[in-house]
Amino acid sequence: MQLIVKQVYNNNSLLVKVGKVREAIVEGKGIGFGKRRGSKVDSNKITKIMYVGDKEDQQQFSSMLKNIPLDIVLVVFYSIDQAKDKYGLALLNYLYLTLSDHIFQMYRKKENGTYQLNQLPSLKDRYPVEYQAARDTWMNINQKLGVNFPPEEIKSIALHYISAKGEEENEEEKSGHNLISNINEIVENIFAAHGIVRNVSNQNYFDRFMVHLQYLVDRVENKNQDSQDLSNIISNNLKEKYPKTYAISQEITRELEDKLNIYLTENERLYFIIHIQRLIQE
């Protein structure tokens, strides 16, 4: 099948048109060198391909590849692929974006001396597979990037693996754009009521949360939400530590469930708290 360049991200990453209707991000050493929009791509040079469903997906991945150093992207992509192959984890593609951005933000904070240990309880007992995959990722990052993230960072990485569990759909099976629009509108209205807006300091966390909401649609429609509660200890800990964020999360949950007639698991509520607290802090 013919692959035509739509956008060159860098020497190793391209957005391409696959056939008549599909688009994908492809990677390969030197695959983008000398390429322009409309150029043909040698499929033999491709080492990784990720299909993207709509313009929002494309914009998110484009932003990631432009702003995050390639060495971070490559080690994260390698680690996610390793987690899939070694542990048989089914993970949604948006993890490539959110985990790369997370590591980049932590790397920057480490560099400028603002890095702080996370307060998450251990997830090792409840999610041993995801935790072990996260430990491998943590080791890869420290070794390949020459940084020294503490072992506590494994918990944050594990949470990314837990929240991204699921099977990607074929392009023909994808739907739910109206639901995505409705969810975004509800969340943005509640944010506006609480004075939460996207700005320079929180844009990465804001965008990461919006990506999470996009894939929430897939989990809801395919009944693929994580049904194993993280634990009441985590919920109570976050409620006590971040009462304002907890209240906003509960408001969003109630609005989504009431207006869209959907059900959100306790884990989804916790993910909301973590995402919202991060963007408020920034």
Side-chain angles (χ1 to χ4, degrees):
M1 184 175 291
Q2 194 174 63
L3 305 179
I4 303 297
V5 175
K6 290 202 66 176
Q7 186 174 351
V8 178
Y9 295 134
N10 51 50
N11 283 344
N12 305 290
S13 307
L14 302 167
L15 174 67
V16 300
K17 186 173 182 180
V18 185
K20 293 182 178 180
V21 296
R22 304 190 75 185
E23 293 184 351
I25 292 172
V26 296
E27 288 189 355
K29 187 173 182 180
I31 198 171
F33 181 75
K35 296 294 184 183
R36 298 181 179 180
R37 184 181 178 90
S39 300
K40 294 181 180 179
V41 179
D42 183 359
S43 59
N44 292 325
K45 291 185 177 181
I46 295 175
T47 58
K48 184 169 188 60
I49 184 166
M50 291 183 294
Y51 290 98
V52 290
D54 53 35
K55 288 186 177 180
E56 288 190 38
D57 283 338
Q58 295 166 19
Q59 290 169 356
Q60 294 289 350
F61 277 97
S62 174
S63 176
M64 178 192 72
L65 292 170
K66 283 181 180 177
N67 297 325
I68 300 178
L70 184 61
D71 56 346
I72 293 179
V73 173
L74 291 177
V75 70
V76 171
F77 279 34
Y78 166 81
S79 297
I80 293 173
D81 289 342
Q82 181 186 54
K84 289 180 177 180
D85 295 339
K86 186 174 179 179
Y87 300 103
L89 289 175
L91 300 166
L92 296 167
N93 278 342
Y94 85 99
L95 178 63
Y96 290 99
L97 187 157
T98 56
L99 187 55
S100 293
D101 181 65
H102 171 76
I103 298 303
F104 179 45
Q105 299 305 321
M106 295 306 100
Y107 184 86
R108 289 174 62 188
K109 290 181 179 181
K110 195 82 167 148
E111 289 287 294
N112 61 30
T114 60
Y115 179 85
Q116 295 181 338
L117 297 179
N118 67 69
Q119 301 298 315
L120 289 172
S122 177
L123 305 170
K124 184 176 181 179
D125 292 338
R126 274 185 175 268
Y127 294 91
V129 177
E130 290 82 0
Y131 186 88
Q132 187 59 46
R135 186 177 184 278
D136 290 351
T137 299
W138 166 75
M139 292 176 63
N140 289 338
I141 290 166
N142 279 350
Q143 292 172 1
K144 295 180 183 296
L145 297 180
V147 293
N148 187 29
F149 287 132
E152 284 79 6
E153 189 62 32
I154 299 173
K155 295 182 291 185
S156 292
I157 299 172
L159 189 63
H160 278 272
Y161 280 124
I162 294 165
S163 65
K165 288 194 298 186
E167 297 281 357
E168 288 289 346
E169 297 177 70
N170 294 326
E171 198 68 21
E172 294 78 9
E173 296 172 336
K174 286 192 173 180
S175 61
H177 292 289
N178 289 335
L179 185 56
I180 291 173
S181 178
N182 290 335
I183 288 177
N184 288 349
E185 182 179 357
I186 289 171
V187 171
E188 288 174 357
N189 287 340
I190 292 175
F191 276 0
H194 289 276
I196 302 173
V197 295
R198 185 180 186 276
N199 54 46
V200 174
S201 62
N202 72 10
Q203 60 185 357
N204 290 297
Y205 291 115
F206 196 99
D207 292 345
R208 196 189 297 176
F209 184 45
M210 301 312 287
V211 169
H212 179 85
L213 292 176
Q214 281 183 258
Y215 282 87
L216 171 63
V217 173
D218 291 332
R219 291 194 289 272
V220 169
E221 291 192 330
N222 294 290
K223 297 180 174 59
N224 198 28
Q225 294 185 77
D226 188 5
S227 59
Q228 182 182 12
D229 289 346
L230 287 172
S231 82
N232 290 330
I233 296 176
I234 298 178
S235 179
N236 293 334
N237 179 279
L238 293 175
K239 181 179 180 180
E240 181 178 339
K241 194 173 183 63
Y242 309 117
K244 178 184 177 181
T245 304
Y246 182 84
I248 295 172
S249 172
Q250 290 295 94
E251 185 177 348
I252 290 174
T253 300
R254 286 195 300 270
E255 286 286 299
L256 293 179
E257 291 186 331
D258 292 345
K259 292 186 176 180
L260 303 180
N261 194 30
I262 61 177
Y263 169 74
L264 299 178
T265 65
E266 185 63 27
N267 281 6
E268 290 293 349
R269 300 164 191 251
L270 292 179
Y271 299 146
F272 283 2
I273 296 172
I274 294 168
H275 278 291
I276 295 169
Q277 180 60 27
R278 282 171 173 167
L279 68 90
I280 287 177
Q281 281 182 324
E282 292 300 313

